[in-house]
Amino acid sequence: MTPAIGPAAPLPLLLVIPTGIGCCIGGYAGDGLPAARLLAAASGCLITHPNVMNGAALYWSDPRIHYVEGWALNRFAAGDLALAPVRQRQVGLLLDAGIEPELRQRHLQVADACRATLGLAVGPVLTTERPLGVALSRSSSGASGGGLEHPAELLRAGERLREAGATAIAIVTRFPDDNGPQELAAYRGGAGVDGLAGAEAVISHLLGRHLGIPCAHAPALAPLPLEVGLDPRAAAEELGHTFLPCVLVGLSRAPDLVPLQPASPLVGAALPAELIHPARIGAVVAPAGALGGEAVLRCAARGLPVIAVQSNACVLEVSGDALGIPVLPAATYAEAAGLVLALREGIAPSALVRPLPSLAVGAAAD
C-alpha cells in the first residue's frame, strides 16, 4: 500500500522589516505583527527580529515565531549560527543610570507585572554605573540612527548580568525627549520615521554581538501629551509608561544562538530535528525598497528566494534591480504568504502566473 502523504514540513522563513527607515508596515509600534502572524502560518516556522514583534505593551506569542535580534539574524543568514528553541529564559534587566527614579520605578513595576501575570523569569536587575548618554541622528536619506556616549559601560553591565545567571538581557536606556517636535508629530500622524529606532538597533546589536546571547532594547521616555489624531500604527506606544513588556515577552523564549564551526556544511542532512539550521532557510521576505541589508544579501548569495513586498514603502530605494538580484515580487504581505505556501508545498511560483510561456527547446551540445 502506498503510504499517505502528510502535510508539508515547515519551511523556515526570514522576515526582515528594517528599523528606522519609515516602513509603512512595521515602521511603527509592532504594526508588522499581523504580517508576521500570517507568514508564520504559511511557513510553519518564522524567524524575525524585535522591530517586527515589539508593540510596547502589546505582543503576540506564537511557538512558530522565533524572536532573534538583528545582529544574530544576520549571522544566522550567513550560516554562522543555528537557532535552538527554548522553553524559558532568565531575562536580566539592564537599566541606564540616566533614568530618573520615578521612571525607573515604572520599569521595575513592568518587570514585576510580567513575573506575576505572565510567569516570566525576570532578573537579576542591574543599573549602569553612569548614564550611557544616548545620541540620536539622521542620515541624508532620512533614516534614523544614533549611538552611545559610554558604550563600554553597557558592555560591562551586560557582562555582569550574564555572570549573574541571565541568559538574555532586556536593555532600557534613557532617550532624549526633545528629538524633534516636527518629526515626532509626523511619526505619530503616520507619515514619519521612528526617530528612536536607529539608535535602539545600535544598542542591541552592540550588546548582542559582545555577549552572544539574545538582547533587545526598550527606550525610556517621559509620557507624551494626548494626541487626538494619532495614527493607529503608533497607538500601542500610548498604552503605558514604558515599552518594556513586549521585550520581556519576546526574550523569554528567544532561541539559543548556537555557533557553527567554519567547516559546518550548509546541508540539511543529519541535523537534529529541533535545531533550526541555516541550511533549512527556505526564503526571505523584505520590503521591495529595502533589500540591501546583510540578511537579505546573504540569502540572495546562496540562491534562496527573495520575496520583495512592493506595498511596504520606506525612505530607501534599494531594490532588486538596483542590486542586480532576482526577486519574487509580491504586491502585499498576503500575496507574499501565498508565495511562501507555494514554496512550502513544492509549487513553482512561475506556474501561478499567466500567460505561461512555452518551453524553449535548445540544441544539444556537441
Side-chain angles (χ1 to χ4, degrees):
M1 179 182 294
T2 302
I5 298 176
L11 182 81
L13 177 72
L14 296 187
L15 171 60
V16 178
I17 304 179
T19 191
I21 62 171
C23 289
C24 65
I25 300 172
Y28 292 83
D31 64 303
L33 259 170
R37 292 179 59 196
L38 179 63
L39 290 168
S43 66
C45 177
L46 183 72
I47 302 100
T48 193
H49 51 110
N51 181 59
V52 174
M53 302 299 294
N54 286 352
L58 302 179
Y59 46 83
W60 194 270
S61 294
D62 186 326
R64 299 169 298 185
I65 301 178
H66 303 279
Y67 186 93
V68 180
E69 193 276 329
W71 169 82
L73 188 78
N74 291 340
R75 302 276 56 80
F76 174 65
D80 299 334
L81 294 174
L83 306 175
V86 301
R87 290 189 178 276
Q88 186 186 59
R89 288 202 168 280
Q90 187 69 41
V91 183
L93 181 56
L94 195 164
L95 299 175
D96 181 1
I99 302 172
E100 303 91 326
E102 181 176 335
L103 192 53
R104 179 178 181 274
Q105 190 60 38
R106 294 289 190 185
H107 285 85
L108 292 173
Q109 288 172 348
V110 166
D112 277 341
C114 287
R115 292 169 60 222
T117 305
L118 302 179
L120 304 190
V122 181
V125 180
L126 188 148
T127 301
T128 59
E129 294 182 0
R130 60 174 169 170
L132 294 174
V134 175
L136 304 179
S137 63
R138 288 290 180 112
S139 71
S140 58
S141 68
S144 66
L148 294 177
E149 185 179 353
H150 302 293
E153 292 287 343
L154 173 73
L155 302 184
R156 279 194 291 269
E159 289 170 355
R160 289 169 59 193
L161 278 174
R162 184 180 60 179
E163 291 165 2
T167 61
I169 296 178
I171 315 147
V172 184
T173 56
R174 186 62 166 96
F175 268 55
D177 291 318
D178 56 345
N179 58 342
Q182 293 181 338
E183 293 172 348
L184 177 60
Y187 172 77
R188 295 179 86 193
V193 172
D194 184 347
L196 313 181
E200 288 195 85
V202 169
I203 293 166
S204 60
H205 283 25
L206 180 64
L207 191 61
R209 180 177 58 199
H210 183 69
L211 299 179
I213 62 176
C215 298
H217 180 270
L221 293 162
L224 291 170
L226 180 66
E227 176 64 55
V228 175
L230 191 71
D231 188 280
R233 294 171 295 173
E237 295 180 349
E238 311 290 326
L239 301 183
H241 298 277
T242 85
F243 305 145
L244 184 57
C246 60
V247 172
L248 294 177
V249 171
L251 288 174
S252 70
R253 288 197 174 182
D256 275 332
L257 309 177
V258 182
L260 297 174
Q261 297 299 322
S264 177
L266 284 177
V267 297
L271 298 176
E274 69 278 5
L275 192 71
I276 307 173
H277 194 282
R280 291 183 166 140
I281 300 173
V284 57
V285 177
L291 302 182
E294 183 177 355
V296 174
L297 294 179
R298 292 281 192 171
C299 289
R302 290 168 50 192
L304 297 172
V306 176
I307 300 174
V309 180
Q310 298 167 321
S311 61
N312 197 3
C314 63
V315 298
L316 304 181
E317 295 183 3
V318 186
S319 65
D321 288 342
L323 295 168
I325 60 174
V327 302
L328 292 175
T332 65
Y333 282 101
E335 187 173 324
L339 290 172
V340 170
L341 194 55
L343 293 171
R344 183 179 178 184
E345 293 290 334
I347 300 169
S350 60
L352 303 173
V353 179
R354 296 295 183 270
L356 190 63
S358 299
L359 291 174
V361 180
D366 293 336

